[in-house]
Amino acid sequence: MTQRTGTATTGTAGATEDGSSPDPVEGTSTGPAVDLPSPTPALNTDALLDDPGIRIVVCCGSGGVGKTTTAAALGVRAAERGRKVVVLTIDPARRLAQSMGIDSLDNVPRRVPGIKGEREGGREGDGSGELHAMMLDMKRTFDEIVEAHADAERARAILENPFYQSLSAGFAGTQEYMAMEKLGQLRARDEWDLIIVDTPPSRSALDFLDAPKRLGSFLDGKFIKLLMAPAKMGGRAGMKFLNVGMSMMTGTLGKLLGGQFLRDVQTFVAAMDTMFGGFRTRADATYKLLQAPGTAFLVVATPERDALREAAYFVERLAAEEMPLAGLVLNRVHGSDAARLSAEHALAAAENLDAVGIVDQTTGKAGLRDRADHSVAPDSPEVVATPGSAPDAAPDVTPDNSEREDTAEQKNTEDHEPTASDRVPTASVEELTAGLLRLHAERMQVVAREQRTRDRFTALHPEVAVTEVAALPGDVHDLEGLRAIGDRLATGSDPAGAA
Amino acid sequence: MSRFQVVSGKGGTGKTTVAAALALALATEGRRTLLVEVEGRQGIAQVFETEPLPYEERKIAVAPGGGEVYALAIDAERALLDYLQMFYKLGSAGRALKKLGAIDFATTIAPGVRDVLLTGKACEAVRRKDKQNRYVYDYVIMDAPPTGRITRFLNVNDEVAGLARIGPIHNQAQAVMRVLKSPETAVHLVTLLEEMPVQETADGIAELRDAELPVGRVIVNMVRPHLLDEDTLRTAAGGRRKEIAKALTRAGVTGSAGLVRPLVEQAAEHAQRVELEREQRAVLAGLELPGYELPLIGEGMDPAGLYDLATELRKQGVGEGAGQGVGT
Ligand SMILES: Nc1ncnc2c1ncn2[C@@H]1O[C@H](COP(=O)(O)OP(=O)(O)OP(=O)(O)O)[C@@H](O)[C@H]1O
Ligand SMILES: [Mg+2]
């Protein structure tokens, strides 16, 4: 079995109990890293970030896979390696935004403090690196375009139009369109060596490629012209040009939508008329920018079926659009430094210890929950109910009080081990070890499942370079966390660790 | 239980899966449920592992105990043509509108029109009655857009009623809002025991409440079993490594010396995760909403797993009482 070992995750996300913080790359050398038929090419993240020819990195992938975090981590790393970087994030989680000091929404890049010019191990860092970050505000971006491209009076008419107000706040694809628009703007300013872009949490990873085109084709469409006709020509002069079909159409729409609505739309369309050419031109320009050699796409996915399926679509689509793919970031990968002990073997060993436990064990609070052995048995088709979902439990997410007290107590006694162990004097070493083995078996099953999923992707796209980021137990809250992810991005494709 | 069950939640938390399980769980003996999806992604077909669904209500599963689950993938464009047909007998005009790009305009560009159609179609199914004046579907379950968009999605009819101040669209929008704001509707949020989804759930509930939309339950999905209790783990990490190594050897594991460190580390990670989960549970408890809790299907989801989740929901009280004839 191929068990690509991940990195030990406790070192960065919180010290282990005994204070040992394993080097993030240490673990990767212990496992059989690659014994695939043809090894997956490695993604050299640092080479990508250091390449002065690369001016735009687009992080794409389906929702919830960690695109924003990846974009932010790449930004920190690139800046600390000496580049002047701006990260355009979309909908960042609050704490992620806070970690970069951009939790106020203002649609303007701001310098992120705390970036180290020169890092231990960073080769290029010469103190000249800078990180700027911003959060996309799509309404603000839309307003800015209007303000920039229409004269004051027309701009006001547009901004006050109720139809525009709804449109700018959220027609399908606005966010995608505005993200690409913002990218174009940032690139045009030419103030940064490198722009790292996050993409919107679309229903499909491809929406941000399609939205600008859709908008473009809509703007070129007959329907817009039809809507514009009466408003543009106005009154009776207009009527003359309306043939019977058209008047039926506007009549129908008026009936459906109410006259005022249609008039709002017409005023809006007329007011926007002068801008349409601009929209289309810029959408085309941004599209070309994405095809340019200075752009690199990173597809982000978790080792799960849906995410990798989207990733595969994306890889195919990029090829079809002749857009340059740098590689796949496989996020939240599980590994084990004890991979040589298989799940089956671990479970068998745990059972051996159970047998001992039955003989030796005194009564008292058991260290293990007895349902444990069902839930990881490889032949068990289902996970057995968890405490909160036990048949007799009230259907309520409120944890029972004892559990809450536990939490509080444990927090207080975190550093006083005697107290904690006093409470479970009876946990025998057999129980404990059996528990560790079952935990390991569960981990190995996750590792195996993720590997199967990846193998399917690799079979489809063996040419795609991959780097992987081990699953962290918690969320990222600060620059240090982003650095840790950056380290993994850089070393995750290299089983021997960083050179 | 409300007859219209809307399932939202952060992306990837299991909205589609949970909505499908809920539709199965509510289809108790003799009952009929309709599972609708609105994002054009064929998510229902995926979870039931069937062919892509056409824009048509069709039976997709038989629930344990004999109830039936129907499914419908609502397509905004088709829904619009249906409406035009239904209300205005606009067969040919509809085609002409389509040629002009008006349908495209209405369903992809115009604000909210798309959402009006989707919510409108779902509400129509909720209210539909047969010749005996009985509801055609006992329950309608919607696999809805994610938390970030759900309030706007459900409230779009308010917005439209404001934009189109008169006319049939206005009336229709108001009728839909009446259903959505009544106790006939319940909006559930699916979450995981992780910080981001829980935060999003809390924010989403606040938004729904502000908009006076009826919040249903918090559904905690993919709950993992706890294999070790934390006290044990603390002890484990606290210097019993030699003993553990010996126990491993006794249990028949070779080369145990090198395994102790990674095993203990994995346990520490597990403890950390359990601790984080507890924190998130506490946050959820603070929301003071009833909930359901669904286990992680460790082997990955398939239709069998879906039935397991439905069984779990029933154990937690889904499908008891209420049904035909309740609420109007
Ligand atoms: N209880 C569960 N146990 C195991 N896997 C699950 C469970 N619930 C959902 N999943 C899996 O998690 C993934 C996401 O689920 P699903 O597609 O239902 O989420 P979603 O919220 O609808 O996602 P999206 O936001 O993309 O629509 C799927 O692969 C699904 O099979
Ligand atoms: Mg879904």
Side-chain angles (χ1 to χ4, degrees):
Chain A
M1 201 195 308
T2 302
Q3 251 108 36
R4 174 75 171 85
T5 55
T7 54
T9 54
T10 46
T12 45
T16 52
E17 293 290 309
D18 63 357
S20 77
S21 299
D23 181 317
V25 297
E26 181 191 317
T28 50
S29 56
T30 52
V34 181
D35 57 34
L36 296 169
S38 58
T40 316
L43 172 65
N44 190 339
T45 310
D46 282 344
L48 181 73
L49 295 180
D50 291 344
D51 181 351
I54 296 291
R55 306 295 304 276
I56 296 174
V57 171
V58 185
C59 297
C60 47
S62 52
V65 295
K67 277 179 297 199
T68 310
T69 310
T70 303
L74 288 170
V76 171
R77 190 166 182 92
E80 297 195 333
R81 294 177 72 83
R83 299 197 78 185
K84 195 174 172 197
V85 190
V86 61
V87 179
L88 170 55
T89 67
I90 293 157
D91 257 353
R94 197 169 303 165
R95 290 175 82 171
L96 178 62
Q98 279 166 358
S99 74
M100 293 190 293
I102 52 161
D103 42 326
S104 60
L105 241 173
D106 57 5
N107 210 31
V108 175
R110 296 182 166 239
R111 177 117 184 222
V112 177
I115 293 297
K116 298 177 195 160
E118 193 151 30
R119 287 204 67 213
E120 236 183 309
R123 285 172 308 160
E124 306 277 311
D126 58 359
S128 67
E130 278 177 30
L131 178 63
H132 299 244
M134 64 169 288
M135 243 193 282
L136 179 76
D137 175 342
M138 71 178 169
K139 173 141 181 54
R140 197 59 226 129
T141 304
F142 210 148
D143 290 355
E144 282 165 12
I145 299 171
V146 171
E147 283 158 2
H149 294 272
D151 60 62
E153 194 191 336
R154 205 179 267 267
R156 197 175 42 78
I158 296 175
L159 297 180
E160 283 172 3
N161 186 291
F163 183 80
Y164 170 80
Q165 286 169 1
S166 301
L167 177 76
S168 60
F171 77 83
T174 310
Q175 205 177 27
E176 285 79 5
Y177 177 74
M178 289 305 148
M180 290 302 106
E181 177 74 34
K182 200 76 205 172
L183 169 61
Q185 287 176 12
L186 291 175
R187 185 67 185 81
R189 279 168 66 176
D190 206 21
E191 284 174 37
W192 295 276
D193 305 339
L194 181 63
I195 304 170
I196 300 180
V197 216
D198 178 18
T199 49
S202 311
R203 61 198 181 95
S204 143
L206 307 174
D207 273 4
F208 83 92
L209 279 181
D210 295 329
K213 274 193 173 170
R214 204 160 55 208
L215 188 70
S217 71
F218 158 65
L219 296 175
D220 277 354
K222 289 186 209 143
F223 184 61
I224 264 297
K225 299 204 172 75
L226 167 66
L227 280 177
M228 259 160 19
K232 261 170 95 176
M233 300 170 197
R236 298 170 78 214
M239 291 310 290
K240 263 206 282 189
F241 288 89
L242 285 177
N243 63 31
V244 181
M246 278 183 167
S247 74
M248 183 189 81
M249 223 57 75
T250 39
T252 300
L253 285 170
K255 223 173 23 170
L256 273 173
L257 300 166
Q260 183 57 44
F261 180 68
L262 194 59
R263 274 192 296 280
D264 284 343
V265 174
Q266 288 169 340
T267 319
F268 164 71
V269 168
M272 294 280 274
D273 187 27
T274 46
M275 295 174 52
F276 282 167
F279 268 116
R280 177 134 191 100
T281 316
R282 280 196 312 285
D284 286 348
T286 310
Y287 193 80
K288 290 220 175 65
L289 197 59
L290 293 178
Q291 290 177 318
T295 300
F297 282 83
L298 283 176
V299 179
V300 185
T302 48
E304 280 146 29
R305 192 184 53 183
D306 293 4
L308 277 171
R309 186 168 39 207
E310 282 284 307
Y313 285 143
F314 205 89
V315 166
E316 287 148 26
R317 179 67 191 276
L318 284 177
E321 305 284 344
E322 295 173 19
M323 290 183 177
L325 172 69
L328 172 73
V329 172
L330 209 47
N331 195 20
R332 289 200 217 115
V333 176
H334 291 88
S336 172
D337 286 355
R340 66 182 175 80
L341 179 60
S342 72
E344 296 73 20
H345 197 157
L347 286 175
E351 263 164 42
N352 291 343
L353 289 171
D354 287 348
V356 178
I358 290 163
V359 179
D360 288 4
Q361 192 51 33
T362 56
T363 51
K365 185 177 176 185
L368 296 174
R369 298 191 182 172
D370 52 4
R371 59 175 72 85
D373 42 353
H374 303 295
S375 54
V376 292
D379 54 353
S380 162
E382 68 201 51
V383 170
V384 171
T386 51
S389 58
D392 54 343
D396 196 301
V397 290
T398 314
D400 62 61
N401 285 330
S402 61
E403 215 174 321
R404 235 181 307 183
E405 273 162 27
D406 267 8
T407 313
E409 195 175 326
Q410 277 169 7
K411 273 193 187 131
N412 295 336
T413 59
E414 200 120 40
D415 301 320
H416 308 292
E417 251 161 48
T419 320
S421 26
D422 281 354
R423 293 173 61 216
V424 246
T426 55
S428 74
V429 72
E430 281 80 16
E431 270 185 314
L432 182 60
T433 309
L436 293 177
L437 287 165
R438 294 206 160 92
L439 212 49
H440 177 66
E442 190 196 41
R443 170 72 66 101
M444 292 306 287
Q445 285 168 354
V446 171
V447 171
R449 191 176 63 232
E450 290 181 353
Q451 187 62 50
R452 282 196 299 274
T453 318
R454 303 178 52 163
D455 287 348
R456 245 172 279 155
F457 177 87
T458 313
L460 275 175
H461 295 289
E463 76 288 357
V464 176
V466 180
T467 186
E468 58 184 62
V469 177
L472 294 168
D475 285 337
V476 177
H477 307 135
D478 49 21
L479 284 182
E480 210 38 66
L482 289 174
R483 278 187 195 110
I485 295 197
D487 286 342
R488 281 145 206 240
L489 281 165
T491 58
S493 55
D494 180 1
Chain B
M1 273 188 98
S2 307
R3 291 188 51 253
F4 186 27
Q5 307 258 323
V6 179
V7 180
S8 180
K10 183 172 158 47
T13 53
K15 292 180 293 294
T16 308
T17 310
V18 169
L22 197 55
L24 276 170
L26 285 167
T28 48
E29 202 171 333
R31 299 226 162 95
R32 186 186 291 157
T33 62
L34 177 68
L35 176 61
V36 298
E37 71 176 309
V38 294
E39 303 233 279
R41 282 169 45 176
Q42 291 293 340
I44 297 177
Q46 271 172 35
V47 298
F48 283 98
E49 295 183 357
T50 60
E51 276 145 43
L53 296 172
Y55 180 50
E56 175 188 299
E57 290 158 37
R58 55 163 62 175
K59 185 153 77 177
I60 192 162
V62 175
E68 294 173 328
V69 179
Y70 280 68
L72 171 66
I74 305 180
D75 174 273
E77 182 174 311
R78 288 282 309 275
L80 178 56
L81 291 174
D82 273 9
Y83 266 62
L84 294 176
Q85 186 58 31
M86 199 156 63
F87 291 140
Y88 307 101
K89 313 267 178 277
L90 287 180
S92 61
R95 276 196 298 279
L97 279 171
K98 186 167 176 160
K99 245 172 134 183
L100 278 165
I103 303 288
D104 253 6
F105 169 80
T107 56
T108 65
I109 308 281
V113 169
R114 183 191 157 79
D115 294 351
V116 168
L117 292 163
L118 299 171
T119 48
K121 179 70 196 173
C123 285
E124 182 272 319
V126 173
R127 286 177 298 177
R128 195 187 310 155
K129 293 194 171 175
D130 63 15
K131 292 204 179 76
Q132 287 78 48
N133 204 33
R134 289 160 40 104
Y135 285 118
V136 172
Y137 295 107
D138 296 285
Y139 296 98
V140 175
I141 299 91
M142 178 189 271
D143 173 16
T147 328
R149 284 194 278 130
I150 187 66
T151 301
R152 198 183 162 96
F153 174 78
L154 294 175
N155 246 353
V156 69
N157 285 284
D158 254 0
E159 213 174 303
V160 165
L163 280 172
R165 287 175 193 285
I166 47 158
I169 293 255
H170 174 86
N171 298 339
Q172 160 74 8
Q174 286 207 316
V176 171
M177 264 349 274
R178 274 197 296 277
V179 173
L180 292 180
K181 291 201 167 167
S182 77
E184 253 189 303
T185 300
V187 184
H188 308 300
L189 294 176
V190 181
T191 186
L192 309 179
L193 287 176
E194 289 169 16
E195 192 177 323
M196 277 162 63
V198 166
Q199 182 60 52
E200 206 168 284
T201 301
D203 293 348
I205 288 169
E207 263 188 56
L208 287 165
R209 285 184 174 152
D210 275 355
E212 293 169 4
L213 289 162
V215 180
R217 287 171 184 253
V218 172
I219 303 176
V220 183
N221 191 25
M222 302 195 220
V223 177
R224 284 173 288 199
H226 292 175
L227 296 181
L228 281 174
D229 78 30
E230 292 79 89
D231 293 334
T232 309
L233 290 165
R234 244 166 267 279
T235 323
R240 294 177 74 179
R241 295 181 179 217
K242 285 215 181 73
E243 279 179 80
I244 293 169
K246 283 194 196 129
L248 283 172
T249 310
R250 249 181 296 152
V253 177
T254 51
S256 58
L259 288 173
V260 177
R261 183 191 59 84
L263 290 187
V264 169
E265 266 168 25
Q266 283 173 196
E269 275 172 37
H270 176 81
Q272 199 182 347
R273 197 187 77 201
V274 168
E275 189 55 40
L276 288 171
E277 289 183 0
R278 285 192 180 203
E279 283 169 29
Q280 297 314 316
R281 267 182 204 284
V283 175
L284 290 177
L287 299 173
E288 294 183 337
L289 278 174
Y292 298 123
E293 195 160 310
L294 293 172
L296 175 77
I297 306 292
E299 295 72 30
M301 280 306 296
D302 56 12
L306 210 54
Y307 278 86
D308 290 345
L309 293 181
T311 307
E312 194 54 52
L313 283 169
R314 280 199 191 169
K315 278 191 203 159
Q316 294 178 36
V318 170
E320 277 166 15
Q324 195 63 257
V326 177
T328 319

